[in-house]
Amino acid sequence: MELKLSNANPLKARTGCLVLPVGDQKKLISTLALADSESGEYLSKILKQNDLANSPGATLMLHNVPELNAQRVLLVSMGDGKKITSQTFDRITSATALALSSPAIKDCISCLNDFEVDGKDLTWQARSFAQALVSNTYRFELHKSIKATKSAKFEGKATIFVSNRSLNKSVEAGIVQGTAIANGMSLARDLGNTAANVCTPTYLGKKAKKLEKAFPSIKAKLLNEAQMKKLGMGALLSVSAGSVEDAQLICMDYKGAASNKKPVVLVGKGVTFDTGGISIKSSAGMDEMKFDMCGAASVFGVMQSVAEMKLKINVIGVVAAAENMPGSKATKPGDIVTSMSGKTIEVLNTDAEGRLVLCDALTYISKYKPDVVIDIATLTGAVIVALGNHTTGLMSNDDTLADDLYTAGIEAHDKCWRLPLWDEYEKQLSSNFADLANIGGRSAGTITAGCFLANFTKDYKWAHLDIAGVAWKQGGAKGSTGRPVPMLVQYLLNRS
Ligand code: BES
Ligand code: MN
Ligand code: ZN
């Protein structure tokens, strides 16, 4: 997919499809009004027949409209056109992308910008369109023997019509951002969707090397189990102990600013399959535990987005990758392990493994002297009870960082909501035998998991994103969502 802008009159263009937004169907404006008179009121006649529903995002594809050079005209309803919220506009661009996704349509020109979006500029509008074109035509066919993608997807050239040249810069920025975010989401989705017998810790390590090859601004460094053992990462290694797959600590270093500028460090949970270990999970739906590396996948996605946009910031992406299996060498309930920080941990439940891989990664990254640290993890089923499948759980030891992430989530339509990390909860993690236990009992499971991590993040500003509810969809639409790449990229854009 290729997306650009043009200032040329869209009515004269020889295009596969002219996309015209329709507001008040009785009072046509802008390009639609011009196209209507050019076509001898052909369009208004069709609208009078009520062929286009009034609800925002409804579409009607027309062929051979008289006197227009376009092969097709796609009418897109903007509702009554009075006040278009950003949520509505996203719905409209998604519907447009779906209507365009036919192999017959080789190119298109969009005039959706003829309408203003409440509180958003043209950068945002162009970004919504770019993101929609990529995200809504996403297909995952790695494991299919027959690939249907080529016949089902809009692979053509898209153009955004900009009537006023002085707005070109703004639209251009939106195209760059939207494409980069969508590509980052696609990478995250691909990694999440890949079967766990293929997507192993070693596979993720190779992906990091591929990213390094594709983007000279990214350097990748891998630590194997022997190197982690030397560093004393007893918590992380206790998770991979029962698996034949070696754990990997994957560090990706993106330099977009001067070396003395402190980096943002992202840490992703990369449990490539979570059986629960000896505290084994029940079998129903266990296949979905291949998605237990979606935090890691989002780190990969963000690194790629940032490199594509050449943001002038420094970002380090660290992935703690391990497979959680029961085996003769697996960690057992009651085993006590020593983390890199020196703190001892009683592993009362081997299914609470995410915090074990993360705590050592969170200790390790202090060497980067981070400005802020954000970890991203499919950490607890409890966050789904608290916030459902709509909202990421946010916990933090820094109010400004928490506010900034919340705002970024609102802006990017990829929301999070904060939960407290108060001392009362911390007490639930006390152990009779070690410095702390890895579970905190039945209540407040998401918060006690956050409290566990907080023990290892005292030296820097830190936020934890529990994405167990949002990282993938279940049922017929089963698959990775690419969240929270939009929120994180928005946060980084706001900083740069
Ligand atoms: N990866 C799971 C969390 C999870 C469960 C995400 C279901 C999405 C759906 C995590 O490793 C886990 O098993 N957490 C346990 C923690 C418990 C043992 C304290 C959980 O949530 O049940
Ligand atoms: Mn688990
Ligand atoms: Zn897990």
Side-chain angles (χ1 to χ4, degrees):
M1 208 272 298
E2 195 187 305
L3 181 59
K4 57 181 175 56
L5 67 82
S6 166
N7 302 114
N9 181 355
L11 298 184
K12 297 277 173 279
R14 298 200 175 278
T15 176
C17 186
L18 178 61
V19 179
L20 294 175
V22 182
D24 183 344
Q25 300 206 6
K26 292 188 197 76
K27 237 173 77 202
L28 309 191
I29 62 153
S30 296
T31 323
L32 177 63
L34 298 173
D36 188 44
S37 59
E38 188 93 6
S39 69
E41 270 99 58
Y42 183 84
L43 298 174
S44 46
K45 269 178 220 149
I46 287 191
L47 290 174
K48 274 192 196 114
Q49 288 169 199
N50 288 327
D51 279 84
L52 180 70
N54 222 343
S55 55
T59 58
L60 180 64
M61 186 71 87
L62 304 173
H63 296 81
N64 306 319
V65 175
E67 306 304 326
L68 294 187
N69 284 336
Q71 275 180 296
R72 303 170 191 79
V73 169
L74 180 68
L75 296 180
V76 182
S77 177
M78 311 295 275
D80 61 12
K82 283 205 185 84
K83 191 171 183 180
I84 301 166
T85 65
S86 55
Q87 280 82 5
T88 304
F89 194 74
D90 267 354
R91 185 141 38 98
I92 289 165
T93 51
S94 294
T96 304
L98 286 176
L100 287 170
S101 58
S102 148
I105 304 174
K106 305 286 182 231
D107 63 343
C108 70
I109 299 179
S110 161
C111 301
L112 291 177
N113 291 349
D114 283 353
F115 281 81
E116 263 178 49
V117 178
D118 193 33
K120 299 287 185 189
D121 59 8
L122 274 186
T123 301
W124 189 91
Q125 269 180 265
R127 183 171 133 175
S128 168
F129 187 57
Q131 236 174 297
L133 282 181
V134 182
S135 295
N136 289 284
T137 54
Y138 173 84
R139 301 281 189 290
F140 180 71
E141 299 192 317
L142 179 70
H143 305 300
K144 298 263 193 198
S145 62
I146 297 166
K147 323 271 181 204
T149 302
K150 282 249 158 350
S151 60
K153 199 166 154 177
F154 180 74
E155 294 276 20
K157 293 183 180 149
T159 302
I160 295 177
F161 170 59
V162 185
S163 56
N164 182 345
R165 266 168 211 281
S166 71
L167 299 169
N168 282 9
K169 269 222 161 71
S170 171
V171 172
E172 192 57 54
I175 291 174
V176 170
Q177 288 174 17
T179 311
I181 294 169
N183 288 343
M185 289 173 79
S186 296
L187 172 60
R189 293 172 80 175
D190 281 350
L191 292 173
N193 289 332
T194 301
N197 58 329
V198 175
C199 184
T200 59
T202 307
Y203 178 90
L204 289 178
K206 284 186 185 146
K207 275 284 166 191
K209 283 291 176 191
K210 279 199 179 148
L211 218 49
E212 174 182 66
K213 243 191 164 163
F215 298 96
S217 52
I218 296 178
K219 293 275 163 287
K221 198 180 85 181
L222 310 178
L223 296 188
N224 60 25
E225 288 199 351
Q227 290 163 310
M228 288 190 264
K229 198 167 174 196
K230 261 201 193 132
L231 289 165
M233 296 189 171
L236 192 156
L237 292 171
S238 77
V239 175
S240 61
S243 169
V244 290
E245 296 292 342
D246 260 9
Q248 296 277 321
L249 192 73
I250 302 163
C251 309
M252 293 169 279
D253 186 340
Y254 168 81
K255 277 236 143 45
S259 301
N260 62 0
K261 277 257 173 347
K262 287 179 162 189
V264 173
V265 178
L266 305 175
V267 179
K269 171 181 174 184
V271 173
T272 57
F273 197 83
D274 181 13
T275 63
I278 298 298
S279 315
I280 199 158
K281 289 181 181 292
S282 59
S283 49
M286 207 208 271
D287 65 290
E288 291 180 18
M289 283 300 116
K290 74 170 181 177
F291 295 117
D292 211 16
M293 36 58 70
C294 282
S298 74
V299 172
F300 278 96
V302 172
M303 296 310 285
Q304 181 180 293
S305 287
V306 166
E308 255 184 62
M309 287 187 284
K310 303 191 171 75
L311 287 192
K312 292 188 173 58
I313 48 171
N314 294 329
V315 185
I316 311 260
V318 171
V319 163
E323 190 183 60
N324 188 21
M325 293 283 280
S328 63
K329 293 192 173 149
T331 302
K332 305 168 292 298
D335 284 1
I336 292 174
V337 299
T338 305
S339 65
M340 184 182 177
S341 72
K343 279 198 164 72
T344 58
I345 302 161
E346 186 182 14
V347 182
L348 287 171
N349 188 322
T350 64
D351 198 11
E353 85 298 339
R355 59 199 80 182
L356 297 175
V357 299
L358 286 173
C359 73
D360 279 343
L362 287 166
T363 301
Y364 178 77
I365 55 91
S366 71
K367 76 179 193 128
Y368 293 112
K369 308 251 174 306
D371 184 30
V372 304
V373 178
I374 304 165
D375 80 70
I376 309 104
T378 49
L379 207 62
T380 63
V383 79
I384 309 173
V385 178
L387 298 170
N389 298 104
H390 310 290
T391 309
T392 294
L394 161 69
M395 284 140 272
S396 181
N397 62 12
D398 185 83
D399 291 343
T400 308
L401 175 58
D403 289 349
D404 290 349
L405 284 167
Y406 171 76
T407 306
I410 296 286
E411 287 175 305
H413 295 176
D414 181 10
K415 291 182 280 195
C416 60
W417 188 257
R418 191 175 182 185
L419 301 171
L421 291 177
W422 292 319
D423 291 346
E424 293 89 323
Y425 298 101
E426 168 71 29
K427 294 193 189 88
Q428 291 178 228
L429 291 169
S430 70
S431 158
N432 283 359
F433 303 106
D435 297 339
L436 75 167
N438 79 327
I439 52 170
R442 273 178 94 67
S443 57
T446 302
I447 294 173
T448 52
C451 286
F452 180 93
L453 297 176
N455 277 282
F456 302 87
T457 60
K458 297 213 159 97
D459 297 342
Y460 45 72
K461 291 181 263 178
W462 159 76
H464 161 55
L465 298 173
D466 193 334
I467 59 166
V470 304
W472 73 90
K473 289 197 165 111
Q474 300 177 303
K478 193 190 284 181
S480 171
T481 61
R483 290 180 68 181
V485 171
M487 180 211 308
L488 290 168
V489 174
Q490 185 70 55
Y491 170 75
L492 295 172
L493 275 168
N494 292 351
R495 280 180 66 108
S496 75

